[in-house]
Amino acid sequence: RKEVEQDPGPFNVPEGATVAFNCTYSNSASQSFFWYRQDCRKEPKLLMSVYSSGNEDGRFTAQLNRASQYISLLIRDSKLSDSATYLCVVITRSNDYKLSFGAGTTVTVRA
Amino acid sequence: GAVVSQHPSRVICKSGTSVKIECRSLDFQATTMFWYRQFPKKSLMLMATSNEGSKATYEQGVEKDKFLINHASLTLSTLTVTSAHPEDSSFYICSASVIVLADTQYFGPGTRLTVL
């Protein structure tokens, strides 16, 4: 089983729609979770951290479900500029420090 | 956020040559930097952890003699792809965190390597 798994999509949605997707992780000891956004041929950029209590940043809401070992990202009122690949990143500190990336979920927002 | 630069942004080289890629933290000191490669439409793959003043830690399956990492100062790590082959063509990205092993990673803009 992969350490971090994401639905690759693509999610094709019209402008103004809500889109949501998850990222599952295999190590229950994982401690920190992030969503990054990556545009084609660019580096990943931090979108938001994911806190235990869930957090919201404008149109973006992130949730963490430790019992089921997944994080989620919800985008409300989608804009054309939200089209990108969204990567989840999971950090685990046990014997060492480990950064694990999901393969990314592609979102395409159409006019 | 913190700024990480990479140089060059794009390089094309002949098979058999070596290519050096630099990763710099511009406004902070980074005792640890990470190197990744990414194939088209694929996820980032962590190659190695670069530690200032000591040897890099390589991920399983990554040849340390092929991908030489040097972290000579608190703001600079270099990745040298030795005797490059066409299969080494990829997008190479580095990242660093402001606080040692803090969780938020800041990524460099990446280097696109094409080996002919």
Side-chain angles (χ1 to χ4, degrees):
Chain A
R1 184 184 171 188
K2 290 183 182 176
E3 292 179 8
V4 180
E5 295 200 64
Q6 289 183 249
D7 182 341
F11 288 81
N12 294 306
V13 299
E15 267 189 295
T18 295
V19 59
F21 42 88
N22 295 339
C23 166
T24 59
Y25 59 96
S26 61
N27 190 334
S28 59
S30 297
Q31 295 147 317
S32 300
F33 310 88
F34 300 85
W35 284 106
Y36 280 77
R37 170 200 171 120
Q38 187 175 26
D39 294 293
C40 188
R41 294 176 170 264
K42 299 282 186 183
E43 77 277 21
K45 293 200 166 142
L46 180 65
L47 180 66
M48 58 199 303
S49 306
V50 186
Y51 302 127
S52 296
S53 55
N55 48 301
E56 190 174 303
D57 183 1
R59 298 180 293 107
F60 298 85
T61 301
Q63 298 277 358
L64 166 63
N65 185 317
R66 284 196 184 274
S68 300
Q69 294 183 205
Y70 73 87
I71 62 172
S72 64
L73 181 66
L74 182 145
I75 307 173
R76 282 185 301 279
D77 189 23
S78 299
K79 311 289 183 194
L80 294 176
S81 57
D82 294 334
S83 298
T85 296
Y86 292 85
L87 305 173
C88 74
V89 177
V90 175
I91 293 178
T92 307
R93 288 193 183 82
S94 50
N95 296 322
D96 53 15
Y97 175 92
K98 189 168 180 65
L99 258 172
S100 301
F101 285 81
T105 297
T106 300
V107 173
T108 303
V109 182
R110 61 182 189 275
Chain B
V3 179
V4 176
S5 72
Q6 270 183 253
H7 177 80
S9 58
R10 184 182 295 269
V11 58
I12 299 172
C13 69
K14 291 183 180 178
S15 191
T17 60
S18 293
V19 176
K20 181 186 282 188
I21 303 169
E22 294 185 347
C23 176
R24 290 182 188 273
S25 54
L26 296 186
D27 50 1
F28 64 100
Q29 294 181 333
T31 55
T32 305
M33 291 183 174
F34 298 89
W35 285 98
Y36 312 81
R37 66 185 298 183
Q38 187 175 34
F39 294 103
K41 298 184 187 288
K42 298 289 184 185
S43 181
L44 285 164
M45 183 190 82
L46 179 64
M47 297 175 68
T49 303
S50 172
N51 305 299
E52 188 268 336
S54 65
K55 290 183 180 179
T57 305
Y58 290 82
E59 294 298 301
Q60 195 170 14
V62 178
E63 299 175 59
K64 57 183 69 175
D65 295 330
K66 171 77 173 173
F67 300 99
L68 299 178
I69 291 173
N70 184 282
H71 196 146
S73 78
L74 287 170
T75 59
L76 173 65
S77 173
T78 60
L79 168 67
T80 301
V81 183
T82 62
S83 187
H85 288 271
E87 57 265 31
D88 298 325
S89 299
S90 189
F91 191 47
Y92 292 87
I93 308 177
C94 68
S95 74
S97 54
V98 176
I99 301 172
V100 176
L101 296 183
D103 295 342
T104 303
Q105 292 295 313
Y106 295 94
F107 289 84
T111 297
R112 192 160 299 282
L113 170 64
T114 303
V115 184
L116 302 176

